[in-house]
Amino acid sequence: MARTSRIPGFFKHSVDERRRLVAEATDIAPHEFDAASARGGLDVGTSDKSVENVIGVYTLPFAATLNVRMNGRDVIAPMVIEEPSVVAAASNAARIVRQGGGFTADADEPIVAAQIQLLDVDAPEEARACVLAAKSEILALADRAVPGLVARGGGARDVVVRVLGEPSDRMIVVDVHVDCRDAMGANLVNSIAEAIGGRLAELAHARVGFRILSNLCDRRRVRVRCSVPMEQLATDNMSGVDVARGMEEGSRFAELDPYRAATHNKGIMNGIDAVVIATGNDWRAVEAGAHAYAAREGRYQPLAIWRREGAHLVGKLELPLALGVVGGTLRIHPTARLALKMSGAQGATDLAMIAATVGLASNLAALRALASDGIQRGHMALHARTVAIAAGAANEMVERVAERMVELGDISLEGARRILAHDTAVIGSAATAE
Ligand code: MEV
């Protein structure tokens, strides 16, 4: 069955019903959902084996982003996130984009650099020449450290030597580029860095320093683009043309001001991190790489920009994204495995394109809201639910209390408690009267 990510009215269903709908749309057996998400997916015994000093398991909401169409195919993207409105906003933006044909994405080969710092280097240029002259030996030595990766078609690809700082620093760095295939690559690349450090020091007549990957994996970039017919951006109060102009102005604001760029990029990372976390990937690595890349020209810049082109608004996102679909957390976390299956990702590069697509959808949603009604209207309606739950509302009372708070314009714990006490009393007296 061809996957569809378009499931109208999805949010109105119960959680069980939604699982059934996603299972149907993604060819996952319904029982896999129940098994994978029981007790938040990860049990305390397994957790205790994976990190230290475990005292419990901490769970977060697991949701489905709908309507995503990327490179001509439908994707139901998994998101794990605690912030209200991000999932709804990304799904809504993806629905708008699919009307113009959907997102297009492409990605580089999965290259990550192993960095070997060499110290006490008196003649940096000579040291560089000696290391480069031994390139094939270094690549072979690196490959010997990761036979499994080489068997899967990956391995060391290139050696780059850079002289760092002033002559008084006496420091060079050797970057060995490694094709990590479907792995995120941190362990593989670190193993290579440690395996070849000694030989590099001999070749450069140097002392070996740090041996570790770089999270600024700018050779493993992903690019996403969308072109939205302006009329699709219209809101109840504004024309699509005006919203598109506001979004372009908002993009320029981020291009000109790092203070705004940080918030702009936070909105993009709302989408990306949620997919990264859902699929058991290392979001700290992703964040480090994204922000270092945003600052690559010496000034912090937006990762996505928007321009009007004819009757369309065009968005373009580019960032480094090192994700894996094998190893790591996926080995132990059943929900992460299920989320990956649900995404339909064909490999690590495909997963990176999906995550970046959700990032661009999140950015579109934020900019559209900021260019029209402002962010608080939609946000507060959803936030009201969290406040209602905190005040003690359960089941259908959550929606009822949240809606009443929005009507009254008072979204506070106190307000929620007052409404809850009042409605519970009304329901109680109605039941007594019956
Ligand atoms: C909130 O989580 C994200 C936004 O601030 C992003 C933005 O301002 O572009 C709404």
Side-chain angles (χ1 to χ4, degrees):
M1 189 180 78
R3 278 172 183 255
T4 176
S5 62
R6 182 95 192 96
I7 313 178
F10 185 74
F11 69 97
K12 293 186 195 142
H13 291 282
S14 67
V15 171
D16 283 343
E17 196 58 18
R18 288 185 205 136
R19 283 183 187 173
R20 195 186 57 70
L21 289 165
V22 170
E24 252 172 33
T26 54
D27 289 341
I28 291 176
H31 73 264
E32 288 183 70
F33 263 97
D34 302 333
S37 40
R39 295 181 309 278
L42 195 60
D43 61 77
V44 83
T46 311
S47 304
D48 194 28
K49 300 280 175 294
S50 62
V51 305
E52 310 72 38
N53 295 356
V54 165
I55 52 172
V57 180
Y58 182 114
T59 57
L60 287 169
F62 173 31
T65 319
L66 300 181
N67 306 324
V68 177
R69 194 162 176 76
M70 183 196 82
N71 293 347
R73 74 175 208 266
D74 273 27
V75 173
I76 297 187
M79 289 179 101
V80 165
I81 189 160
E82 87 300 346
E83 183 174 329
S85 96
V86 172
V87 179
S91 300
N92 192 35
R95 188 181 49 75
I96 292 174
V97 172
R98 72 186 282 130
Q99 281 155 9
F103 297 90
T104 50
D106 71 282
D108 299 333
E109 292 295 304
I111 300 287
V112 174
Q115 292 204 289
I116 298 93
Q117 179 197 29
L118 296 177
L119 299 153
D120 301 343
V121 181
D122 288 324
E125 288 308 331
E126 279 169 33
R128 187 216 302 258
C130 290
V131 170
L132 291 179
K135 190 186 266 196
S136 8
E137 181 201 335
I138 295 163
L139 293 178
L141 196 59
D143 277 350
R144 272 211 292 283
V146 288
L149 176 64
V150 173
R152 292 197 303 275
R157 295 286 182 261
D158 200 6
V159 179
V160 174
V161 184
R162 290 175 296 131
V163 179
L164 299 181
E166 304 301 320
S168 60
D169 286 301
R170 301 166 72 212
M171 191 190 302
I172 65 173
V173 61
V174 181
D175 295 323
V176 177
H177 297 155
V178 181
D179 181 334
C180 297
R181 293 289 90 200
D182 275 335
M184 181 270 184
N187 280 329
L188 295 162
V189 171
N190 292 341
S191 299
I192 288 179
E194 293 193 359
I196 65 178
R199 179 65 185 136
L200 288 172
E202 270 170 31
L203 287 164
H205 302 290
R207 176 166 62 86
V208 72
F210 283 15
R211 296 162 296 163
I212 188 83
L213 89 163
S214 169
N215 286 123
L216 175 51
C217 43
D218 57 3
R219 285 166 197 259
R220 196 175 183 173
R221 293 199 302 262
V222 50
R223 288 159 292 275
V224 187
R225 182 182 186 278
C226 68
S227 176
V228 187
M230 285 192 207
E231 73 265 12
Q232 301 293 345
L233 296 166
T235 65
D236 290 346
N237 312 317
M238 274 176 86
S239 73
V241 169
D242 287 344
V243 175
R245 188 185 56 230
M247 290 175 68
E248 182 180 316
E249 288 164 352
S251 173
R252 284 297 294 151
F253 180 14
E255 290 158 46
L256 298 170
D257 179 20
Y259 288 89
R260 171 58 205 155
T263 323
H264 180 101
N265 288 347
K266 193 276 183 182
I268 295 170
M269 301 316 288
N270 273 346
I272 294 180
D273 281 341
V275 177
V276 169
I277 295 170
T279 54
N281 273 283
D282 182 344
W283 70 94
R284 288 88 55 210
V286 166
E287 284 282 335
H291 300 297
Y293 187 69
R296 68 196 176 283
E297 282 165 19
R299 196 165 60 87
Y300 189 85
Q301 296 200 12
L303 295 165
I305 59 166
W306 296 85
R307 288 290 182 273
R308 286 168 296 168
E309 290 181 12
H312 288 70
L313 181 72
V314 176
K316 290 180 191 163
L317 166 70
E318 183 173 55
L319 81 163
L321 210 43
L323 301 186
V325 296
V326 293
T329 306
L330 282 163
R331 283 209 188 94
I332 57 162
H333 205 303
T335 323
R337 282 200 297 273
L338 180 89
L340 183 61
K341 189 167 177 188
M342 177 177 142
S343 76
Q346 304 296 308
T349 302
D350 197 34
L351 181 62
M353 294 195 292
I354 292 172
T357 295
V358 178
L360 191 59
S362 299
N363 187 227
L364 188 161
L367 266 54
R368 179 169 178 252
L370 288 164
S372 54
D373 293 336
I375 209 79
Q376 286 305 76
R377 204 172 117 191
H379 213 263
M380 289 319 272
L382 287 161
H383 172 61
R385 285 202 218 158
T386 319
V387 175
I389 294 167
N395 306 322
E396 70 280 1
M397 286 305 284
V398 175
E399 216 54 56
R400 195 160 157 171
V401 172
E403 275 170 18
R404 190 82 187 110
M405 278 194 288
V406 172
E407 266 167 39
L408 295 172
D410 172 20
I411 303 172
S412 66
L413 209 52
E414 267 312 295
R417 286 196 182 120
R418 257 197 311 276
I419 297 165
L420 198 56
H422 173 264
D423 283 15
T424 312
V426 171
I427 293 167
S429 57
T432 319
E434 276 167 19

